[in-house]
Amino acid sequence: YWRSILATLFVTVALAAGVTILQRPVYTADASLFLTVDSGGTAGELSQGATYAERTVTSYVQVATSAMVLQPVIEELGLDVSPQALAQRLTISSPASTQIITVAAADGSPDQAAALANAVTRTLLGSVDELSPAGPDGRKLVSATIIEDATAPTSPSAPRPVTNLALGLLAGVALAGGQAFVRSLLDTRIRTAKELEQLSGLPLLASVGHRSDDLTG
């Protein structure tokens, strides 16, 4: 079934290439901030403060995609979207065992992606100050500092032609092998003398040979 195998591979890879060509370029810009906890000056107090900050990072990651943060961003940038829709364009993450929060924004424009990431980071910075509990002296226990501003990316993060074509090739191999296997299971034709003996239960007495050379001369 080599013809159908090759055809399946070609169609699958061609579809992957077509989808890649038709995809609109998307740019992603990253900004990040660092959380600190005012817990005292001793080593033990500093260690407890760092542990508390790591635990609170998860909460602030969730806050970053809330209306509390995104509605001011929408108003600042003049966006015509809802906070829920804007949240779909953001990826908020924190590396394990760190106090760093990374804000990644995706947009069709590199400048807009950077502006969005920076606006979300600044608004999140204010939300951290607003939500942070106060100590006995009235000072906020948790504070945040922007450690990296987003810059306009020079190349799109999507589509990824090499990745898409590789996935298309893998899918094509799987589909081509699958259709060939199914066709072989459904094929009831008798192709060899051994198959004829097995199906009939009788011995083969003679066979007719085939010669491809020209005997007319």
Side-chain angles (χ1 to χ4, degrees):
Y1 307 109
W2 63 270
R3 290 187 180 88
S4 62
I5 290 176
L6 291 179
T8 303
L9 281 173
F10 175 79
V11 170
T12 307
V13 174
L15 286 175
V19 170
T20 301
I21 294 173
L22 294 176
Q23 275 186 313
R24 180 185 175 186
V26 175
Y27 296 85
T28 302
D30 300 331
S32 56
L33 54 82
F34 186 84
L35 294 182
T36 55
V37 173
D38 183 10
S39 56
T42 67
E45 290 174 334
L46 290 174
S47 177
Q48 292 177 356
T51 301
Y52 173 74
E54 289 181 19
R55 291 200 304 265
T56 58
V57 162
T58 302
S59 299
Y60 288 118
V61 166
Q62 300 298 321
V63 171
T65 55
S66 67
M68 176 183 182
V69 172
L70 299 186
Q71 188 59 46
V73 172
I74 292 172
E75 296 172 0
E76 176 186 347
L77 300 180
L79 303 177
D80 187 20
V81 295
S82 65
Q84 293 76 16
L86 182 57
Q88 299 300 317
R89 295 160 55 184
L90 301 173
T91 301
I92 314 299
S93 60
S94 175
S97 301
T98 69
Q99 298 164 223
I100 298 174
I101 297 178
T102 300
V103 178
D107 194 88
S109 166
D111 294 330
Q112 183 69 4
L116 179 57
N118 287 327
V120 172
T121 303
R122 289 194 302 268
T123 309
L124 179 59
L125 187 69
S127 298
V128 170
D129 182 68
E130 182 179 348
L131 296 174
S132 172
D137 57 357
R139 292 190 304 174
K140 297 292 186 180
L141 295 180
V142 181
S143 61
T145 304
I146 296 177
I147 58 176
E148 185 177 5
D149 289 318
T151 57
T154 56
S155 59
S157 56
R160 299 178 178 177
V162 175
T163 301
N164 290 351
L165 291 177
L167 292 175
L169 180 61
L170 290 176
V173 170
L175 291 174
Q179 64 87 22
F181 177 73
V182 172
R183 288 182 63 185
S184 66
L185 291 179
L186 299 178
D187 190 357
T188 59
R189 290 176 293 179
I190 300 175
R191 297 180 179 274
T192 65
K194 185 176 180 180
E195 292 178 352
L196 180 60
E197 290 180 330
Q198 291 176 344
L199 291 174
S200 64
L202 300 174
L204 182 66
L205 299 180
S207 62
V208 178
H210 173 71
R211 295 185 62 180
S212 60
D213 54 328
D214 188 4
L215 300 179
T216 59

